[in-house]
Amino acid sequence: MSLPTFPQIDPPLTREGSLNEIISSIAAEELSLSHILSAEGEKLQYVLGTLPGLEEAAATEEVLRVNRSVQETLSGIVEQQMVLSSKLG
């Protein structure tokens, strides 16, 4: 496995530029997490049969299985939020 290469930054970043890059990185991660949360909400709506155009909800077992999946995803998002918060500290 080879080592990663990083582009040469010219001119070198200042402290302010570095902080702007970190904040931009955090904002991009936050946007990604919001898309994941939205998808998880739609997954729940689908399985519960509350999306327009669906005729009925899923069976109880499937609802419980999807609920566990959503809980695991949300747990991961909470962990990621703590990491993002520590980047600013």
Side-chain angles (χ1 to χ4, degrees):
M1 178 184 261
S2 63
L3 294 174
T5 58
F6 298 97
Q8 196 66 280
I9 299 174
D10 192 36
L13 286 175
T14 63
R15 177 176 168 77
E16 182 180 338
S18 296
L19 290 173
N20 285 337
E21 291 293 326
I22 291 170
I23 292 169
S24 293
S25 164
I26 291 170
E29 289 186 58
E30 292 284 349
L31 180 61
S32 297
L33 291 175
S34 73
H35 287 291
I36 292 170
L37 286 173
S38 178
E40 292 300 304
E42 288 178 5
K43 184 191 309 182
L44 284 172
Q45 287 178 318
Y46 178 80
V47 77
L48 294 172
T50 59
L51 285 177
L54 293 179
E55 301 197 6
E56 61 184 58
T60 304
E61 286 297 317
E62 187 176 2
V63 170
L64 292 174
R65 184 174 48 79
V66 169
N67 189 55
R68 280 190 297 275
S69 170
V70 170
Q71 283 178 325
E72 290 171 7
T73 301
L74 292 178
S75 176
I77 288 174
V78 168
E79 289 176 24
Q80 184 65 24
Q81 285 294 307
M82 288 189 284
V83 170
L84 292 175
S85 292
S86 72
K87 283 184 177 181
L88 286 174

